[in-house]
Amino acid sequence: MSNTEFGSWVDVKFDCLPLRSVRSFAAPDDASPKLAAKLERMRVARESHGSMGSYYLHNATCTFHFTNDPALGMCQYSFEGVVLTDSQDMQARSCELTIELARDTCSWINQAIVDWLAESVQRAVLVEFNRFIQAGDLTKTIQRLESMNKASDDAGGFVGMYL
């Protein structure tokens, strides 16, 4: 049995921003310090990983359920960071996430388990991101990649920065 009545044993939720879709990470003058810091983390992620095959996950949680009672035996982590895909944009290959325990209902949990689950968040995110890719329109992804390859070939192998 993989699901309980209230949901999955591992529930991963995230907002996803393809880094290739962002033109500027400049914070508006009236931006909150929290938003400005988030935009800076996104800018650093794109500088570190490039824009192709790089996705920024934010507003994200990973919840582990250890009993069939949602009020008992739950650990929820918040996370933010980058998922990198293969060259065809069809498979998640790695992630670089900032992960922290947000809340839990496990009176029996200890620090070693908290740390192990934080490491498990990365694996759960990769599995869920692959499901996210599969649920999307793969035909559009393939067409986009073919179009970019043609543009690159037409331009002598160079299409421009951050494309």
Side-chain angles (χ1 to χ4, degrees):
M1 181 167 155
S2 63
N3 290 326
T4 63
E5 288 181 13
F6 61 91
S8 330
W9 287 336
V10 179
D11 183 25
V12 179
K13 296 179 181 173
F14 54 82
D15 289 339
C16 176
L17 177 68
L19 289 177
R20 69 178 165 270
S21 69
V22 181
R23 297 284 182 238
S24 170
F25 293 102
D29 291 338
D30 61 345
S32 70
K34 188 175 179 179
L35 175 60
K38 187 176 197 175
L39 289 168
E40 177 62 14
R41 290 190 301 274
M42 289 178 179
R43 183 193 64 75
V44 168
R46 185 165 76 182
E47 280 185 8
S48 298
H49 302 289
S51 61
M52 295 308 299
S54 301
Y55 298 85
Y56 199 82
L57 306 185
H58 58 110
N59 301 328
T61 59
C62 179
T63 307
F64 297 97
H65 299 279
F66 304 111
T67 71
N68 289 333
D69 180 353
L72 181 66
M74 177 278 301
C75 290
Q76 184 175 68
Y77 290 80
S78 60
F79 66 90
E80 183 176 304
V82 177
V83 169
L84 301 171
T85 62
D86 63 11
S87 61
Q88 298 301 311
D89 230 8
M90 304 292 265
Q91 176 93 22
R93 61 180 171 96
S94 65
C95 60
E96 187 176 295
L97 306 172
T98 301
I99 302 165
E100 63 182 51
L101 180 64
R103 62 189 186 102
D104 72 90
T105 59
C106 288
S107 60
W108 62 90
I109 196 167
N110 63 42
Q111 190 60 46
I113 295 170
V114 169
D115 295 342
W116 180 79
L117 287 171
E119 190 175 315
S120 298
V121 168
Q122 293 191 54
R123 295 176 190 266
V125 167
L126 289 173
V127 167
E128 197 62 28
F129 199 82
N130 283 329
R131 291 170 40 120
F132 174 74
I133 291 170
Q134 292 301 314
D137 188 342
L138 296 177
T139 305
K140 286 183 183 175
T141 300
I142 292 167
Q143 288 171 346
R144 180 180 50 79
L145 288 169
E146 288 173 352
S147 172
M148 288 173 34
N149 285 338
K150 183 179 179 337
S152 176
D153 291 344
D154 291 349
F158 179 75
V159 227
M161 194 172 208
Y162 300 121
L163 291 177

